[in-house]
């Protein structure tokens, strides 16, 4: 008897994921009926993304788990009809692209490469554009030191950057200064020259970057946000940019996406907006994670990346 | 009796190096008289840079070694009056800045971050600007796989890039495909999506990047040159850029420096010129290398980074 899996992640993703999931299910030797429409009472698993039209999980009485295709789950954890286990995506290829994006922009700001990209005017400006520091003189703090944060920390340390990782719960990463809990947030931020935001969005993390916390950074710090828009108090960041406390910000995520054309971030000379592209789930690798979780559900093993509804991620 | 060391590296460097060398000599417990002028017959060592006015080494009959402050020695190896041992600089901080510059520009081109740096116009262009590949799908070839090349290779592999290193003599670096000798150059270049030039400049390496070798790269490859300008046949590169065989080039070094304002590289939309800033010797760390070589000279141990005059580096 086949396992019924409802693909409730939007039509736009269907073609790519139908193929990738088919391959992953057969590799995992799972007999699965993957559908876009089904009698709710007959559904064993739901594959979900925030683009879905599905909002009422009540009728899915037999559903063993909702498997999110994205890493962020803040738009679904608050849904009161969702009583089934919820898993977020930890896609190895997505982790790799996040590391690439974070390292690319850290080095870009560290070395000031924009000066050259924007200044191809025939003037040989050697002295003012020569990098003044090497990586080991530029401390980086990463807020959010889970799977993604630690992968970024590892890559930055390999280049010499001193890394501090801060998270809600204690972590350990060789070579990094690992801090945990609200009490140590100020220590984590103090003197940081680069701040990378990889926290999940929860009521506790909203506006974690605000006037007070920005003032703890080293003067002229760089801010990089590939996490979630509401982690930042936007007015406080704009003020810190204007005051020079933050020298440059590179932001991939925003409270409202697409970022409105008239938002001050677009026009600000020291803000670089990227359109939520830092890291994307890739069908082939994500499908394997989905298949593995269904295999676990069928054999009664614990799910991977199960969301703790209490803490919100 | 103090050792007499002539600082013949130009007045501009004197202040920084006088202080750094003083510290390094005293750390190494060397009794040194560091001077900018001296009776040639009394000089034990010469500290040199290509900016020096010293061109005739004949009168320095007692000099045990000429210690170059830069990694490149092509402007001095051909000097027929130089019969003393010549050492090039391998400064650990310079290696680190080279790695940073090479990784920064590899990631910049790989992820296409210029699109965002240059396009802060309020338009949310998600799909065409989303990176399409991850690092492990983008093979990098490094020509010149000595100290600098291998350090860059290591850093790029840590990010997932498959790395091929090519050099004149056989090398070995775990995880990299290491090729050596003229016969394997074509293999090293074939299908490379990123080509990084870190070769020394010698009669054999001049114009190693030419019409034929460029045609071996993957179509739309990226070229990064922090090595030496004459490694590239400039006309061939411009033609390959116009044909799309090379999608983008980032060049730090040129046949003529400063690069003349009317050189086509400045105006070319797919060339980024940087003003020979990829890596600079740093006084504090370089001074320690100089001190160590003087210590070796005094005790009769072999010099570090001795230039082989036959091969030219």
């Amino acid at each position: 008897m086949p396992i019924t899996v409802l693909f409730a992640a939007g039509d736009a993703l269907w073609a790519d994921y139908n193929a990738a999931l088919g391959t992953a299910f057969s590799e995992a030797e799972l007999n699965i009926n993957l559908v876009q429409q089904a009698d709710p009472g007959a559904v064993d698993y739901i594959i979900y993304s925030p683009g879905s039209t599905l909002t009422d999980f009540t009728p899915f009485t037999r559903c063993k788990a909702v498997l999110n295709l994205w890493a962020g789950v803040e738009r679904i954890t608050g849904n009161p009809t969702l009583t089934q286990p919820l898993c977020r995506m930890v896609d190895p290829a997505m982790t790799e692209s996040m590391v690439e994006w974070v390292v690319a922009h850290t080095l870009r700001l560290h070395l000031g490469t924009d000066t050259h990209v924007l200044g191809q005017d025939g003037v040989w400006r050697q002295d003012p554009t020569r990098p003044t520091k090497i990586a080991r003189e530029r401390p980086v703090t990463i807020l959010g030191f889970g799977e993604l944060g630690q992968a970024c920390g590892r890559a930055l340390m390999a280049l010499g950057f001193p890394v501090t990782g801060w998270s809600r719960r204690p972590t350990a990463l060789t070579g990094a200064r690992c801090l945990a809990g609200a009490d140590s947030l100020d220590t984590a931020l103090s003197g940081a020259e680069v701040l990378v935001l990889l926290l999940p969005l929860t009521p506790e993390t909203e506006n974690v970057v605000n006037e007070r916390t920005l003032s703890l950074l080293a003067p002229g710090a760089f801010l990089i946000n590939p996490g979630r828009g509401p982690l930042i108090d936007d007015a406080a960041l704009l003020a810190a940019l204007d005051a020079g406390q933050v020298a440059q910000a590179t932001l991939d995520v925003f409270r409202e996406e697409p970022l409105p054309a008239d938002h001050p971030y677009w026009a600000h000379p020291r803000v670089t907006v990227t359109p939520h592209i830092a890291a994307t789930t890739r069908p082939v690798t994500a499908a394997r994670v989905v298949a593995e979780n269904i295999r676990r559900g069928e054999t009664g093993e614990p799910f991977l990346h199960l969301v703790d509804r209490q803490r919100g991620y």
Side-chain angles (χ1 to χ4, degrees), chain A:
Chain A
M1 168 106 165
I3 306 157
T4 299
V5 176
L6 177 66
F7 187 84
D11 284 344
L13 300 177
W14 173 249
D16 283 351
Y17 275 91
N18 186 25
L21 288 164
T23 305
F25 293 154
S26 96
E27 277 170 9
E29 297 180 0
L30 293 166
N31 177 14
I32 286 184
N33 183 27
L34 181 66
V35 293
Q36 287 194 278
Q37 298 286 342
D39 165 20
V43 169
D44 297 300
Y45 297 89
I46 296 172
I47 295 174
Y48 190 82
S49 88
S52 176
T53 52
L54 173 59
T55 53
D56 182 7
F57 292 90
T58 317
F60 295 90
T61 49
R62 195 170 104 181
C63 174
K64 292 181 194 161
V66 175
L67 307 170
N68 203 54
L69 284 185
W70 305 157
V73 291
E74 72 274 5
R75 284 199 267 172
I76 181 177
T77 44
N79 186 325
T81 70
L82 178 64
T83 53
Q84 298 87 344
L86 170 67
C87 300
R88 66 200 170 81
M89 177 54 64
V90 178
D91 167 19
M94 198 203 66
T95 304
E96 285 172 53
S97 29
M98 182 62 90
V99 169
E100 293 171 17
W101 191 90
V102 167
V103 174
H105 288 285
T106 302
L107 285 174
R108 181 190 135 238
L109 297 171
H110 164 61
L111 296 183
T113 59
D114 290 4
T115 314
H116 307 293
V117 170
L118 296 166
Q120 293 291 300
D121 56 0
V123 182
W124 186 264
R125 294 181 189 83
Q126 194 166 54
D127 277 342
T129 65
R130 199 190 289 280
T132 50
K133 285 195 173 198
I134 52 178
R136 67 177 134 96
E137 298 162 341
R138 178 95 68 187
V140 178
T141 291
I142 301 174
L143 298 189
F145 216 48
E147 197 93 23
L148 289 173
Q150 291 192 29
C152 291
R154 221 173 276 122
L156 291 167
M157 286 192 293
L159 289 165
F161 291 100
V163 167
T164 296
W166 180 86
S167 50
R168 211 181 63 104
R169 290 174 304 173
T171 59
L173 177 65
T174 308
R177 182 172 67 144
C178 297
L179 299 171
D183 291 350
S184 64
L185 177 64
D186 289 9
T187 309
L189 294 172
S190 293
E193 297 191 21
V194 183
L195 177 60
V196 179
L197 306 181
L198 282 166
L199 289 164
L201 179 60
T202 70
E204 287 78 43
T205 64
E206 187 165 355
N207 291 327
V208 64
V209 174
N210 54 47
E211 186 185 348
R212 193 189 70 77
T213 53
L214 284 169
S215 74
L216 300 172
L217 304 177
F222 302 128
L223 175 65
I224 299 179
N225 187 12
R228 283 291 178 256
L231 298 172
I232 298 177
D233 174 338
D234 295 318
L237 175 56
L238 287 163
L241 283 159
D242 290 335
Q245 169 63 8
V246 174
Q248 278 185 274
T250 293
L251 311 172
D252 188 51
V253 289
F254 306 91
R255 282 171 196 271
E256 186 184 347
E257 294 183 11
L259 184 70
D262 61 354
H263 193 286
Y265 282 151
W266 279 117
H268 200 288
R270 294 192 277 139
V271 174
T272 307
V273 171
T274 67
H276 203 144
I277 51 150
T280 316
T281 304
R282 284 164 63 105
V284 171
T285 42
R288 290 193 194 119
V289 178
V290 168
E292 170 63 11
N293 257 341
I294 294 177
R295 190 197 65 73
R296 286 168 171 256
E298 292 305 294
T299 58
E301 291 172 61
F303 287 116
L304 295 172
H305 321 306
L306 189 66
V307 171
D308 176 340
R309 313 298 275 280
Q310 198 62 35
R311 62 172 216 250
Y313 62 94

